[in-house]
């Protein structure tokens, strides 16, 4: 008998007929269960949303008030005979795996996740299951992320070696920017960090939700001399636009797992690539599957073919779900 007959992957999301609910749907629905706040998973317009309190706060900041039902980590509910609970995914603040139990089976929909420690969010919690639904953003053996603080040491070394310049770091507005800031604080960097206005709202929200980011200052309207020897964070799209031209000879950096690909760094004119990802790398993807020992693996998006092939080589049934609407983010 086939596993998971009570869950239906469709192009626009994962549908559970018994609950009449969708997981991370790409279009507005009556009932949405949302894994985390990134825009390709959390969209506006749903009639009602179940998510962690932090994810609901992020969605409210981005889309306005939500008709939300908060589901804290470890707590759950039952509907249509399905028991549902949310556990940490380690991706960004509030990110969750959704654990589903029905008809004697357990299915874990992981959303996006990473396994290494991140001081801005709860660490991934492994949940053994019959079916593991996983991403594969970095699902190729070439993607093996280095240690976080080794990469940020490059940033600090560049800053020290160029006291009349600044380091301008491109970082995704939700999760990555706050993680870079917090990791620098953990490493003992206590100087003010300057941020582009587009990062202000989510940085303020992280602070409201208990993540201390230290002293942050707006980078706009500040004299060039004040920005010499400083770290400035901005959305990736601001690295090469008119806004950045007023900075004091910036060393352009980018914090992303994609910086492993040299061509991507060259395309963005990145002088200092920082390989820093909020997604699992190849080893984390495969080691997670080994740890959870699922009977089947379903791959939602990313480099599906390679991960499906790896599973089959290890006698694990696997399939790509061919969902639409998920993006390669600037991670």
């Amino acid at each position: 008998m086939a596993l998971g007959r009570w869950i239906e992957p469709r192009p626009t999301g994962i549908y559970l007929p018994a609950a009449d609910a969708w997981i991370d749907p790409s279009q507005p629905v009556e009932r949405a269960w949302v894994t985390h706040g990134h825009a390709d998973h959390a969209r506006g317009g749903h009639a009602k949303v179940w998510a962690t309190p932090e994810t609901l706060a992020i969605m409210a900041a981005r889309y306005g008030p939500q008709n939300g039902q908060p589901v804290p980590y470890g707590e759950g509910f039952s509907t249509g005979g399905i028991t549902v609970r949310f556990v940490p995914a380690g991706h960004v603040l509030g990110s969750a795996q959704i654990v589903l139990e029905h008809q004697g089976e357990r299915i874990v929909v992981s959303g996006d996740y990473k396994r290494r420690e991140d001081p801005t969010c709860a660490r991934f919690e492994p949940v053994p299951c019959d079916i593991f639904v996983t991403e594969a953003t970095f699902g190729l053996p070439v993607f093996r992320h280095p240690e976080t603080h080794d990469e940020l040491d490059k940033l600090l070394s560049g800053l020290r070696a160029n006291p009349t310049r600044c380091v301008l770091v491109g970082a995704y507005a939700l999760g990555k920017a706050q993680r870079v800031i917090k990791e620098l604080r953990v490493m003992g960097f206590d100087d003010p960090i300057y941020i582009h206005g587009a990062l202000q709202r989510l940085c303020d929200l992280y602070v409201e939700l208990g993540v201390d980011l230290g002293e942050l200052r707006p980078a706009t309207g500040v004299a060039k001399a004040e920005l010499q020897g400083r770290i400035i964070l901005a959305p990736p799209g601001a690295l090469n636009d008119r806004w950045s031209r007023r900075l004091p000879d910036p060393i352009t950096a980018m914090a992303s797992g994609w910086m492993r690909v040299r061509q991507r760094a060259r395309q963005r004119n990145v002088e200092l690539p920082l390989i820093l990802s909020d997604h699992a790398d190849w080893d984390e993807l495969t080691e997670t599957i080994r740890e959870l020992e699922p009977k089947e693996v379903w791959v939602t998006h990313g480099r599906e073919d390679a991960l499906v092939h790896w599973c089959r080589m290890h006698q694990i049934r696997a399939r790509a779900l061919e969902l639409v609407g998920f993006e390669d983010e600037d991670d």
Side-chain angles (χ1 to χ4, degrees):
M1 185 178 296
L3 288 172
R5 292 185 300 166
W6 45 276
I7 183 170
E8 297 181 7
R10 299 183 182 179
T12 54
I14 294 174
Y15 180 59
L16 293 105
D20 190 22
W22 295 77
I23 296 176
D24 291 352
S26 60
Q27 59 189 21
V29 298
E30 286 295 313
R31 299 174 187 83
W33 302 345
V34 175
T35 60
H36 67 282
H38 280 144
D40 58 339
H41 293 256
R43 292 168 169 83
H46 305 307
K48 191 165 185 180
V49 178
W50 284 256
T52 64
E54 297 84 357
T55 294
L56 288 175
I58 290 165
M59 292 180 70
R62 290 187 145 184
Y63 305 125
Q66 302 291 302
N67 183 12
Q69 176 63 49
V71 186
Y73 291 137
E75 296 186 14
F77 58 94
S78 294
T79 179
I82 302 172
T83 300
V84 185
R85 60 189 172 99
F86 286 45
V87 301
H91 178 54
V92 296
L93 183 64
S95 62
Q97 306 170 80
I98 299 180
V99 181
L100 310 166
E101 297 189 69
H102 185 56
Q103 296 181 351
E105 298 174 357
R106 178 185 291 160
I107 298 176
V108 174
V109 181
S110 61
D112 290 337
Y113 69 97
K114 68 175 178 290
R115 298 301 306 265
R116 60 192 65 198
E117 188 173 357
D118 176 344
T120 68
C121 66
R123 195 162 190 171
F124 179 95
E125 179 180 316
V127 180
C129 52
D130 298 293
I131 297 176
F132 184 54
V133 184
T134 180
E135 61 149 314
T137 301
F138 291 107
L140 290 172
V142 67
F143 291 114
R144 289 182 163 92
H145 304 324
E147 290 300 316
T148 300
H149 289 185
D150 289 347
E151 293 301 287
L152 292 179
D153 273 336
K154 298 178 186 177
L155 189 164
L156 295 174
S157 295
L159 194 68
R160 289 190 294 266
N162 297 276
T164 62
R165 303 177 70 184
C166 66
V167 178
L168 174 61
V169 184
Y172 198 70
L174 171 58
K176 183 61 61 61
Q178 296 80 19
R179 181 182 173 201
V180 168
I181 294 167
K182 186 63 176 178
E183 293 281 12
L184 287 169
R185 300 311 191 195
V186 170
M187 294 172 69
F189 184 81
D190 295 325
D191 291 0
I193 293 175
Y194 291 75
I195 60 174
H196 187 284
L199 304 182
Q200 188 71 55
R201 180 175 55 176
L202 287 172
C203 285
D204 288 346
L205 181 59
Y206 264 61
V207 173
E208 289 173 20
L209 294 174
V211 181
D212 182 7
L213 299 177
E215 184 180 356
L216 302 180
R217 296 179 182 175
T220 303
V222 178
K224 270 191 176 184
E226 183 180 335
L227 295 175
Q228 290 180 341
R230 300 296 194 180
I231 295 173
I232 303 168
L233 267 70
L239 292 184
N240 298 302
D241 71 6
R242 183 180 301 175
W243 179 87
S244 67
R245 296 174 195 164
R246 48 173 296 281
L247 303 176
D249 191 18
I251 300 169
T252 302
M254 176 84 174
S256 169
W258 296 113
M259 290 298 97
R260 172 70 71 184
V261 182
R262 292 180 182 178
Q263 185 178 2
R264 292 217 180 191
R266 288 195 297 267
Q267 287 171 345
R268 290 183 174 271
N269 297 316
V270 171
E271 182 178 348
L272 182 61
L274 304 172
I275 305 169
L276 185 65
S277 176
D278 284 328
H279 294 266
D281 66 9
W282 175 256
D283 289 337
E284 291 169 335
L285 289 168
T286 55
E287 288 169 9
T288 297
I289 293 169
R290 289 184 192 274
E291 180 180 6
L292 303 185
E293 297 184 330
K295 298 180 178 71
E296 293 187 18
V297 171
W298 296 358
V299 186
T300 57
H301 62 286
R303 278 68 203 154
E304 301 102 322
D305 290 349
L307 191 59
V308 167
H309 177 72
W310 181 91
C311 290
R312 291 173 179 170
M313 290 290 291
H314 290 80
Q315 290 74 54
I316 302 168
R317 295 182 63 182
R319 57 183 286 208
L321 299 186
E322 299 179 356
L323 304 183
V324 299
F326 294 109
E327 301 171 358
D328 272 349
E329 301 170 358
D330 281 310
D331 178 53

